Amino acid sequence: MSELKERLNNLSFSEQQDLLATLPSQLADAYDSEKLYRLLTDYNFIEAKLEILGTQLLIEDYKLVANLNISLTDVQANTLQIVQDTLRLSAHIISQDTTQLAAQIIGRLQAIENPEIQALIEQAKQQKKLWLKPLTSSFTPPGGRLKRTLVGHTDWVQAIAVTPDAKKAISASSDHTLKVWNLATGEEICTLKGHLTYVNAVAITPDGTKVISGSWDNTIKIWDLATGQKIFTFTGDTFAIEAVAVTPDGQRVISGSWDGTIKVWNLATGQVIFNLKGHTSFVQSIVVTPDNKRLISGAGDHHLKVWNLETGKELFTLTGHTDWVKTVAVTTDGNLAISGSYDRTIKVWDLIQREELFTLTGHSSFVQSVAVTLDGKRIISGSGDKTIKVWDLATKSPTLTFINHIAPVNAVAVIPDSQLIISGSSDKTMKIWHLETGNENVIFSGHTDWVNAIKIIPDGKLVISGGSDNNIKVWNLETKSEIFTLTGHTDWIKSVAVTPDSKHIVSASGDKNIKVWNLATGKEILTLTGHEDWVNSVVITPDGTRIISGSGDKAIKVWNLATGEEILTLTGHSDGIKALAISPDGKRLISGSGDKTVKVWSLETGENILNSVWNLVTGNKVFTLTGHSGFVNAVAVTDDGKWAISGSRESTIKVWDLGGKKELFTLTGHTDAVTFLAVTGSRLISVSDDNTLKVWDLLNRVVLASFTGDSALKCCTVSADGMTIVAGEASGRLHFLSLEEGLIN
């Protein structure tokens, strides 16, 4: 490796690019197999090539080794495969931020017992600046069925179509755009812009040259796939378009609309051939049989209808679903139709006998999308339960479940002539999966849904987390292992707090209740009731005597922790309370609300008669801070009690002078909602729906270190020494991180 470094140092930047672009192919003659293998498993080489040439060229280097017929042992070949798969899984992160390479390698590979991989990890730890080191394997490791993640949309992915040559995928999104993707590299080729609102449906002509899109702007647009340009627009539907399809002969476009009608269009002229009426509710899905003769539609009236495409007449209706029919597919022989419904079932229908054959059950939420493999033997389904299931038609049972999306799976498609499928979700991502090879998805210890709340207890030994799975979990901070789970809430855990003596947990939930737990025994002690909406935040006064809660009902309540008695209610916000924080001296309460304001309240008790009278007159309100343009999701107070800090849905963080009652400065850098804040000394920790955690220097107003998760980060907590941070992710994972100072050059 020193030879390569010396060679690179003696070259200009463009010459470095040329050299690294040809590695390892051009260096195969100069380096023997062992040296070449060492290059491809050397962290410094991987980092250098990533920074200069990008992710995809780096990934492709590992393919070149096989083409060069280099002699490798089975262990070496396996090691190279692990590294390549890791880079592919991490591509959506490191292609946007190359500084995340070390965290990605460590976070995905720690648990792999391979000496070469462990050596690579040790190299990755040798960072020269302040950084966040994963302490556990908290990312999806290589070797599973997930191949890669595609990011780029800024709202829900609603539909996906794959070109007949399997080289491109086109995604339709609620962000008003369609995107064209290179399936081999995962790179975005172009964005198709022109729709005025949500794009709900997409189809591709059989020759692979044109894209058809349908939108809630009541139009169908035809796009040239080669140029990305719009060719023309079909108008005439008076309601939002929910579904589009193209006939196998490529001559007609079919659209399903919110008004319950189906239109058959001449693709060449844009003229309406048929206007099919029969459904009594919105048409959400349409598919054409391979012989061009029949159309199957699914609608909000719970029915499927089969139409004659030559005459425009309805042939028959299939009934059996008890809720909206959201999605329909047909087998390649045209004999079977498969439908997915909001009743959580998938039904298989015999189109010849005009009857239901059987029902598949297993999803715990609505079925959003179905597809059939080309051999007609398996069904792929995507659901609101965030999973993808693979069903064997012969055995009528699920054979695989894919788990990695953090929101409903709205679209699934089979990639022709491959062992891959692709999915699109409300989490704004698309994912490519191995259907035939790879291990089952690894389920990490953690929550099965969003982690909304997390807290390191004052004695620093335990971590408490609360999730949308309604559970509270207690973790050993040293071993990073789960100790036990507390159950009792019937809705999402929104916030957790721990008493200063580390003896009790207080939890707040979407079930409108607050519970007090004995941390040693895990037993519930008290349940506090009185809020009329979700309790979004809960804090405990520094003296450990009072609980303070904030709710979607716009009220803040103060409770006696020992008895559970409500002491008083604070009102003044015009929208729900999102977050609370208490000053270190216990005299001030800071609240953030959906009304976009931060309010400061007095918590001083009746020991001072003047304070008591003033609080009675003002309702404990001291002053209001305004300036945010979105919901205030998070608040914190500095250790000296002088500054309040707030994080907002509009992605900014504001720092306020509590003495001067004014804004000091705004921190920008997040690209989505700021969801939680924690302060340690002069440093601020922020997490965001943009998947990042940032460590800020409040005095110099700069980011010192950052970490990127696989999905939105919802909460964080920091140890007393400021060196250990635990972040909760929407995937249900907990990231245990160490803030490392880095090596001195």
Side-chain angles (χ1 to χ4, degrees):
M1 192 63 204
S2 59
E3 299 173 51
L4 176 62
K5 284 183 177 178
E6 183 179 350
R7 189 169 173 183
L8 285 172
N9 289 335
N10 292 328
L11 297 175
S12 67
F13 180 75
S14 61
E15 290 172 330
Q16 289 178 355
Q17 285 184 309
D18 292 339
L19 173 61
L20 289 173
T22 60
L23 285 172
S25 55
Q26 292 300 313
L27 289 186
D29 294 333
Y31 289 87
D32 59 29
S33 298
E34 184 64 23
K35 287 184 178 179
L36 189 55
Y37 170 75
R38 293 298 166 197
L39 274 180
L40 293 172
T41 55
D42 185 285
Y43 179 82
N44 294 317
F45 169 78
I46 294 170
E47 183 181 49
K49 188 153 191 183
L50 171 65
E51 290 177 352
I52 295 176
L53 293 174
T55 310
Q56 191 54 37
L57 286 175
L58 176 58
I59 292 171
E60 289 174 0
D61 267 0
Y62 294 84
K63 297 178 183 177
L64 289 174
V65 174
N67 298 333
L68 294 172
N69 295 317
I70 294 171
S71 176
L72 296 172
T73 67
D74 290 344
V75 172
Q76 289 176 325
N78 181 57
T79 300
L80 292 181
Q81 188 65 58
I82 290 171
V83 176
Q84 183 190 36
D85 289 348
T86 298
L87 295 171
R88 187 186 292 111
L89 282 172
S90 302
H92 63 294
I93 293 175
I94 59 176
S95 62
Q96 296 184 357
D97 183 359
T98 58
T99 67
Q100 296 301 308
L101 176 64
Q104 286 292 302
I105 286 176
I106 296 166
R108 293 191 192 275
L109 299 180
Q110 272 189 76
I112 295 179
E113 297 178 357
N114 175 318
E116 299 284 1
I117 294 298
Q118 290 302 314
L120 177 62
I121 289 172
E122 289 305 312
Q123 279 188 302
K125 292 178 180 178
Q126 309 306 305
Q127 297 297 304
K128 295 182 174 62
K129 60 182 180 179
L130 191 72
W131 68 297
L132 290 157
K133 179 181 75 177
L135 300 174
T136 61
S137 294
S138 54
F139 289 103
T140 302
R145 292 188 180 271
L146 179 63
K147 184 178 181 182
R148 76 187 318 153
T149 299
L150 310 181
V151 298
H153 281 296
T154 58
D155 210 332
W156 297 1
V157 178
Q158 297 280 27
I160 298 172
V162 178
T163 55
D165 63 8
K167 292 182 178 180
K168 299 183 181 72
I170 295 85
S171 55
S173 171
S174 296
D175 66 10
H176 308 181
T177 72
L178 299 103
K179 289 184 181 290
V180 182
W181 307 85
N182 182 319
L183 284 174
T185 67
E187 295 171 318
E188 180 184 324
I189 298 171
C190 63
T191 298
L192 309 181
K193 299 180 180 180
H195 282 294
L196 302 178
T197 186
Y198 301 165
V199 187
N200 301 310
V202 63
I204 299 171
T205 53
D207 62 7
T209 63
K210 298 180 182 66
V211 175
I212 320 297
S213 60
S215 167
W216 274 9
D217 64 10
N218 304 344
T219 69
I220 300 162
K221 294 187 183 294
I222 317 299
W223 311 80
D224 185 313
L225 184 54
T227 65
Q229 299 300 307
K230 181 179 65 178
I231 302 173
F232 43 81
T233 299
F234 293 168
T235 59
D237 269 284
T238 56
F239 288 84
I241 293 175
E242 286 282 318
V244 294
V246 183
T247 53
D249 61 11
Q251 297 180 9
R252 290 166 290 178
V253 172
I254 303 162
S255 61
S257 174
W258 192 257
D259 65 358
T261 65
I262 301 166
K263 284 185 169 61
V264 181
W265 310 75
N266 182 306
L267 179 56
T269 66
Q271 299 300 307
V272 175
I273 302 170
F274 297 121
N275 190 3
L276 310 180
K277 297 181 179 180
H279 284 293
T280 59
S281 185
F282 40 84
V283 176
Q284 293 196 291
S285 184
I286 49 179
V287 65
V288 181
T289 55
D291 61 7
N292 274 299
K293 294 181 179 180
R294 290 168 296 170
L295 168 71
I296 301 120
S297 57
D301 58 13
H302 310 180
H303 301 326
L304 290 87
K305 289 184 179 292
V306 181
W307 310 79
N308 185 318
L309 268 181
E310 296 176 340
T311 65
K313 302 296 183 182
E314 180 184 330
L315 296 175
F316 54 92
T317 298
L318 300 171
T319 62
H321 282 297
T322 59
D323 209 330
W324 300 353
V325 179
K326 177 64 177 174
T327 176
V328 180
V330 66
T331 52
T332 52
D333 60 11
N335 292 333
L336 301 179
I338 294 93
S339 58
S341 168
Y342 268 45
D343 65 14
R344 307 181 183 184
T345 71
I346 299 162
K347 290 185 181 290
V348 179
W349 311 84
D350 187 324
L351 294 178
I352 307 301
Q353 300 300 320
R354 305 184 178 188
E355 64 182 6
E356 178 186 332
L357 293 179
F358 52 87
T359 299
L360 304 175
T361 60
H363 281 298
S364 60
S365 186
F366 43 84
V367 179
Q368 287 279 78
S369 181
V370 293
V372 185
T373 55
L374 297 183
D375 60 11
K377 294 180 179 180
R378 286 172 290 182
I379 296 169
I380 319 298
S381 59
S383 169
D385 63 14
K386 310 174 190 175
T387 71
I388 300 157
K389 289 185 181 293
V390 181
W391 309 79
D392 187 306
L393 269 174
T395 64
K396 306 179 181 64
S397 60
T399 58
L400 296 169
T401 298
F402 298 158
I403 302 171
N404 200 273
H405 284 294
I406 64 162
V409 180
N410 303 321
V412 291
V414 176
I415 299 176
D417 301 321
S418 75
Q419 297 179 348
L420 303 174
I421 60 173
I422 186 168
S423 58
S425 167
S426 295
D427 65 13
K428 309 174 190 177
T429 73
M430 301 165 65
K431 294 182 185 288
I432 300 175
W433 311 80
H434 292 282
L435 187 57
E436 302 289 350
T437 60
N439 302 319
E440 291 282 357
N441 293 72
V442 175
I443 308 299
F444 290 94
S445 59
H447 290 272
T448 58
D449 210 335
W450 295 11
V451 183
N452 300 312
I454 198 160
K455 187 74 175 177
I456 295 176
I457 70 171
D459 67 13
K461 295 179 180 179
L462 302 175
V463 178
I464 316 299
S465 62
S468 295
D469 56 8
N470 308 350
N471 293 329
I472 301 162
K473 291 183 179 288
V474 180
W475 307 80
N476 182 307
L477 184 56
E478 182 179 357
T479 64
K480 320 298 184 294
S481 59
E482 181 184 334
I483 302 173
F484 57 86
T485 298
L486 306 178
T487 60
H489 282 294
T490 58
D491 209 330
W492 293 10
I493 310 300
K494 294 293 292 179
S495 180
V496 294
V498 182
T499 53
D501 60 9
S502 298
K503 292 183 177 180
H504 298 97
I505 300 170
V506 179
S507 57
S509 169
D511 63 14
K512 308 176 188 178
N513 296 328
I514 301 158
K515 290 184 182 291
V516 181
W517 311 79
N518 183 307
L519 184 52
T521 65
K523 300 296 184 182
E524 179 183 330
I525 300 170
L526 291 171
T527 296
L528 313 181
T529 61
H531 280 296
E532 297 176 358
D533 204 336
W534 285 23
V535 185
N536 294 316
S537 184
V538 64
V539 291
I540 300 171
T541 54
D543 62 9
T545 62
R546 289 172 290 171
I547 298 168
I548 304 174
S549 57
S551 167
D553 63 11
K554 308 176 189 177
I556 299 168
K557 291 183 181 291
V558 182
W559 313 79
N560 183 306
L561 193 150
T563 66
E565 176 188 2
E566 181 181 331
I567 301 171
L568 75 151
T569 297
L570 307 177
T571 60
H573 280 294
S574 60
D575 204 332
I577 312 301
K578 300 290 185 181
L580 299 171
I582 298 178
S583 60
D585 62 8
K587 294 181 179 180
R588 294 287 183 266
L589 174 71
I590 317 298
S591 60
S593 167
D595 65 12
K596 307 175 187 178
T597 71
V598 177
K599 289 186 181 295
V600 181
W601 311 78
S602 171
L603 290 178
E604 294 193 67
T605 60
E607 295 155 357
N608 183 313
I609 188 65
L610 292 177
N611 284 335
S612 296
V613 172
W614 180 253
N615 288 341
L616 185 64
V617 171
T618 64
N620 290 74
K621 289 191 292 289
V622 179
F623 55 88
T624 299
L625 302 169
T626 60
H628 282 297
S629 60
F631 294 175
V632 180
N633 295 322
V635 291
V637 185
T638 53
D639 295 344
D640 59 11
K642 294 181 178 180
W643 291 356
I645 307 169
S646 55
S648 172
R649 188 173 182 175
E650 91 268 0
S651 77
T652 65
I653 299 167
K654 290 185 180 292
V655 180
W656 312 85
D657 179 357
L658 290 176
K661 305 178 184 179
K662 63 181 181 180
E663 180 183 333
L664 292 176
F665 54 88
T666 297
L667 301 174
T668 59
H670 284 297
T671 58
D672 207 333
V674 178
T675 52
F676 202 87
L677 300 170
V679 175
T680 174
S682 62
R683 290 174 177 173
L684 171 71
I685 318 296
S686 63
V687 295
S688 167
D689 280 346
D690 67 9
N691 302 3
T692 69
L693 179 151
K694 296 182 184 295
V695 180
W696 305 80
D697 181 332
L698 284 172
L699 301 181
N700 295 305
R701 308 179 190 182
V702 295
V703 175
L704 299 174
S706 65
F707 170 83
T708 303
D710 250 343
S711 61
L713 296 176
K714 294 294 182 181
C715 54
C716 65
T717 184
V718 59
S719 59
D721 64 4
M723 303 311 290
T724 301
I725 299 168
V726 188
E729 193 173 293
S731 65
R733 299 170 185 163
L734 275 67
H735 295 289
F736 291 84
L737 307 169
S738 174
L739 188 59
E740 304 276 323
E741 292 295 342
L743 302 176
I744 299 174
N745 288 316

